[in-house]
Amino acid sequence: MASPAAGAASAVLLLLAFAVAGVLSDGSDHRYKSSEPVPLYANKVGPFHNPSETYRYFDLPFCSPEKVKEKSEALGEVLNGDRLVDAPYKLDFRVDLDSKPVCSKKLTKEDVAKFRNSVAKDYYFQMYYDDLPLWGFIGKLEKTAKADPSEWKYYLYRHIIFDILYNNDRVIEITVHTDQSALVDLTEDKEANVEFLYTVKWKETATPFEKRMEKYSSSSNLPHHLEVHWFSIINSCVTVLLLTGFLATILMRVLKNDFVKYAHDEEAADDQEESGWKYIHGDVFRFPKNKSLFSAALGTGTQLFALTTFIFLLALVGVFYPYNRGALFTALVVIYALTSGIAGYIATSFYCQLEGTNWVRNLLLTGCLFCGPLFLTFCFLNTVAIAYSATAALPFGTICVIVLIWTLVTFPLLVLGGIAGKNSKSEFQAPCRTTKYPREIPPLPWYRTTVPQMAMAGFLPFSAIYIELYYIFASVWGHRIYTIYSILFIVFIILLIVTAFITVALTYFQLAAEDHEWWWRSFLCGGSTGFFVYGYCLYYYYARSDMSGFMQTSFFFGYMACICYAFFLMLGMVGFRAALFFVRHIYKSIKCE
């Protein structure tokens, strides 16, 4: 029989393996002799403002070898849209070159039009030299004083200059810039003969090899950036302190008065009518409608919470250093697969506690609740990427690998967790007996209905994280680097605390109004922050970014919908668990006949 912790134990082992691998490997650790070849891979090109819309390097008519040699890539690299091929430049260790020709090429009218279109969209290229990333723009657009685009000039850079720093026998840093005097005019549709050149300059540096990646993370640690992050933390902490202080004071005072009043009522005459939350003690633990869906949402939310926790642990021990290609995607896929046993166990055991009978159907629902929408979104977006011939389109082999992971790991662990949950035979712990017939809920004002309550519940947690959201969005959907995982982890904990407290408060006011249908309400209120985050997506797209085009727009809103849905399930679980703990506690404290 599977133990409930089987998935978690496997994930912990994976966590340790990733941690060791991430800490020990800080990029490539190759040592080179003088004149020894150092690998240089061309990765991709694409519009600077559309991070999801990238294409293979040789999709543009650069100098290309007769046979393009592709580098074998890990799963995470492919998911990240990386497609590494041997670059046409030869950068041997400590060998200076000056204006060395790459090739002479005759650009056809179609080639010129392709390059001109790329320059107009601000295309950049990305390469990796000894696992160090480098970028450059392929050309420049000169806008004249006239607003008429037909007057603009388009130029292609034909001479690239590589500046490389080394320490003894190791590569430490590489930067690339272009010769502004070596330009090809692309403004008119006519053939052009172009000689592509490159220059290599080597310089010695005292920077140790262990610190060569610090250059890429230093931008996140600049004093003015850290000030903003700490302001975000202080803002969130003040929100938490005010909220928790206010709620603790109000709830403790109100509950104390309630307990005194109910104790007094029990000593007084029995014909006195009860009112408030005690009045519904026979209905408050009545099981919710759609118990199978509710249990599946609870199980999936718990799995996503476990996934997030493991990802944070990996980040905090230094696995996701800048440009560790695909590490985050690999971790997400594998840890999600290994934690599926948690979802199966929680969903099925809770479903059986709610006296559900069709646990197999519940288990299938749990497996599809998050994966189903994610799979449909992926199918649509992958089709769009294929239509654009973008690198975001996953190859058939990669899709088969993911399907195999789901078939051979995710689903079996889900079933094992479900069987363990079914056999746990735990009963729902309710301090009060439930009456046979539900009591009618009195008419409630509009602001006590579900949607206004969700709006109130989601606003406070969102206000605690919205400053940090900008930096996360600028990293995921832009070119900013985010490495301050410790601050992000603090914000995440604050988010959980605020979500729990606001859900408890709204649940109390709901019960005090004699509305006993709190199960789904607490889940929806807890998860409502996901809707606010998606609302922020609209603001970010139109006001804070320069993204454009159908592919980038569909990728942004499609995948952010999946992330916000995951947020909804995870925080909904946190809200319900907090509310359940609170409701059990207050009804244990009074005598329920």
Side-chain angles (χ1 to χ4, degrees):
M1 185 191 300
S3 90
S10 303
V12 170
L13 291 173
L14 176 83
L15 171 69
L16 293 173
F18 262 112
V20 172
V23 171
L24 293 180
S25 66
D26 189 12
S28 171
D29 191 13
H30 291 134
R31 296 172 183 270
Y32 299 98
K33 297 175 183 176
S34 183
S35 304
E36 185 179 348
V38 182
L40 173 67
Y41 295 107
N43 188 11
K44 52 194 177 184
V45 294
F48 183 75
H49 298 294
N50 289 358
S52 300
E53 187 184 344
T54 54
Y55 304 95
R56 292 174 181 271
Y57 182 79
F58 290 119
D59 283 352
L60 291 179
F62 290 116
C63 295
S64 61
E66 291 182 9
K67 187 177 181 182
V68 176
K69 186 179 177 183
E70 296 189 358
K71 180 182 182 292
S72 59
E73 294 174 319
L75 174 64
E77 292 177 300
V78 180
L79 293 175
N80 195 39
D82 292 335
R83 302 291 185 271
L84 274 68
V85 296
D86 282 349
Y89 309 101
K90 188 179 180 184
L91 277 57
D92 293 341
F93 191 69
R94 294 177 60 182
V95 175
D96 287 346
L97 297 172
D98 186 23
S99 301
K100 182 176 175 62
V102 185
C103 75
S104 294
K105 187 165 185 176
K106 184 176 183 180
L107 298 180
T108 64
K109 290 181 180 180
E110 292 77 15
D111 291 341
V112 169
K114 193 177 282 189
F115 270 129
R116 184 172 61 246
N117 180 56
S118 302
V119 171
K121 292 181 178 179
D122 221 12
Y123 267 49
Y124 71 99
F125 64 82
Q126 185 191 37
M127 296 183 183
Y128 282 94
Y129 184 66
D130 193 43
D131 275 348
L132 291 172
L134 58 143
W135 306 264
F137 287 98
I138 67 164
K140 68 175 181 177
L141 170 61
E142 282 189 359
K143 298 182 179 180
T144 55
K146 298 178 182 178
D148 186 6
S150 62
E151 302 286 329
W152 295 350
K153 297 285 186 181
Y154 301 86
Y155 295 102
L156 173 70
Y157 296 133
R158 67 181 185 88
H159 187 184
I160 294 179
I161 301 165
F162 297 97
D163 292 309
I164 310 172
L165 302 181
Y166 70 94
N167 186 345
N168 292 328
D169 53 0
R170 286 165 156 178
V171 177
I172 302 299
E173 184 180 320
I174 181 167
T175 54
V176 62
H177 62 278
T178 48
D179 183 354
Q180 297 293 319
S181 62
L183 301 173
V184 180
D185 192 343
L186 305 170
T187 309
E188 297 179 13
D189 267 334
K190 61 180 183 181
E191 295 181 350
N193 291 310
V194 181
E195 184 180 34
F196 289 96
L197 308 170
Y198 72 105
T199 295
V200 185
K201 298 176 182 176
W202 288 86
K203 290 181 183 176
E204 192 166 9
T205 180
T207 306
F209 177 80
E210 291 72 24
K211 293 187 176 180
R212 73 175 192 159
M213 300 305 290
E214 287 185 3
K215 165 192 171 184
Y216 303 102
S217 57
S218 60
S219 60
S220 296
N221 298 316
L222 293 175
H224 65 279
H225 281 170
L226 285 175
E227 283 176 16
V228 175
H229 288 293
W230 281 115
F231 172 75
S232 168
I233 291 284
I234 293 167
N235 166 65
S236 303
C237 286
V238 169
T239 304
V240 171
L241 288 173
L242 288 176
L243 178 68
T244 52
F246 170 74
L247 291 181
T249 305
I250 295 295
L251 288 179
M252 285 177 70
R253 180 173 293 180
V254 170
L255 284 171
K256 185 178 178 182
N257 292 339
D258 287 348
F259 290 143
V260 170
K261 184 177 123 202
Y262 293 145
H264 181 265
D265 288 347
E266 286 163 8
E267 294 167 5
D270 289 335
D271 58 352
Q272 186 177 359
E273 188 178 357
E274 294 175 327
S275 64
W277 53 267
K278 187 188 175 186
Y279 179 55
I280 56 171
H281 64 77
D283 294 279
V284 75
F285 292 106
R286 189 178 304 283
F287 297 147
K289 298 173 183 174
N290 303 310
K291 62 180 75 172
S292 182
L293 178 61
F294 187 83
S295 303
L298 203 61
T300 307
T302 308
Q303 179 191 4
L304 292 169
F305 177 75
L307 170 67
T308 308
T309 305
F310 283 130
I311 291 295
F312 268 119
L313 289 174
L314 288 173
L316 291 171
V317 298
V319 174
F320 305 129
Y321 58 85
Y323 307 108
N324 183 3
R325 292 192 304 271
L328 178 60
F329 286 102
T330 304
L332 283 169
V333 170
V334 177
I335 295 177
Y336 180 84
L338 293 176
T339 52
S340 59
I342 297 173
Y345 178 79
I346 295 293
T348 308
S349 62
F350 198 78
Y351 179 67
C352 292
Q353 286 179 32
L354 299 184
E355 298 174 359
T357 53
N358 196 346
W359 68 274
V360 175
R361 177 176 168 272
N362 171 252
L363 199 58
L364 292 172
L365 183 60
T366 305
C368 297
L369 194 63
F370 180 70
C371 283
L374 181 64
F375 176 73
L376 292 175
T377 305
F378 163 75
C379 288
F380 170 71
L381 295 179
N382 205 55
T383 305
V384 171
I386 290 170
Y388 273 73
S389 301
T391 61
L394 294 190
F396 180 72
T398 305
I399 296 173
C400 290
V401 168
I402 294 173
V403 170
L404 279 174
I405 290 173
W406 194 89
T407 308
L408 300 178
V409 181
T410 308
F411 189 69
L413 284 177
L414 181 76
V415 172
L416 289 174
I419 293 171
K422 174 183 173 289
N423 294 334
S424 62
K425 304 249 187 306
S426 56
E427 294 184 3
F428 186 78
Q429 303 296 320
C432 303
R433 283 180 297 157
T434 302
T435 56
K436 190 173 182 180
Y437 299 105
R439 192 182 296 276
E440 187 178 353
I441 299 171
L444 299 171
W446 67 269
Y447 57 84
R448 285 192 179 274
T449 56
T450 303
V451 174
Q453 294 283 294
M454 286 175 67
M456 282 189 272
F459 177 74
L460 274 170
F462 174 75
S463 68
I465 64 169
Y466 81 97
I467 295 177
E468 209 63 26
L469 272 182
Y470 168 74
Y471 290 96
I472 297 167
F473 274 58
S475 173
V476 176
W477 300 104
H479 301 281
R480 190 188 291 265
I481 301 164
Y482 192 97
T483 57
I484 316 176
Y485 300 115
S486 53
I487 288 181
L488 186 60
F489 186 59
I490 295 170
V491 171
F492 177 67
I493 292 171
I494 291 170
L495 171 66
L496 298 179
I497 294 170
V498 179
T499 300
F501 267 86
I502 194 71
T503 309
V504 164
L506 290 175
T507 301
Y508 171 77
F509 294 130
Q510 182 183 356
L511 296 177
E514 299 176 11
D515 180 357
H516 54 78
E517 295 182 346
W518 62 275
W519 299 69
W520 272 110
R521 178 76 65 85
S522 64
F523 191 95
L524 293 172
C525 286
S528 59
T529 308
F531 293 103
F532 279 84
V533 174
Y534 201 67
Y536 182 82
C537 293
L538 293 167
Y539 163 76
Y540 181 83
Y541 181 85
Y542 290 107
R544 303 302 296 269
S545 80
D546 295 312
M547 291 185 275
S548 61
F550 177 73
M551 178 182 166
Q552 182 61 45
T553 304
S554 58
F555 264 70
F556 178 75
F557 287 107
Y559 281 127
M560 281 312 302
C562 292
I563 292 170
C564 291
Y565 177 49
F567 243 73
F568 169 77
L569 292 171
M570 180 179 70
L571 294 178
M573 179 276 297
V574 171
F576 170 72
R577 288 295 186 188
L580 179 62
F581 175 81
F582 170 75
V583 172
R584 276 179 174 156
H585 179 73
I586 63 171
Y587 281 96
K588 273 181 187 174
S589 304
I590 60 168
K591 294 178 182 177
C592 302
E593 290 86 10

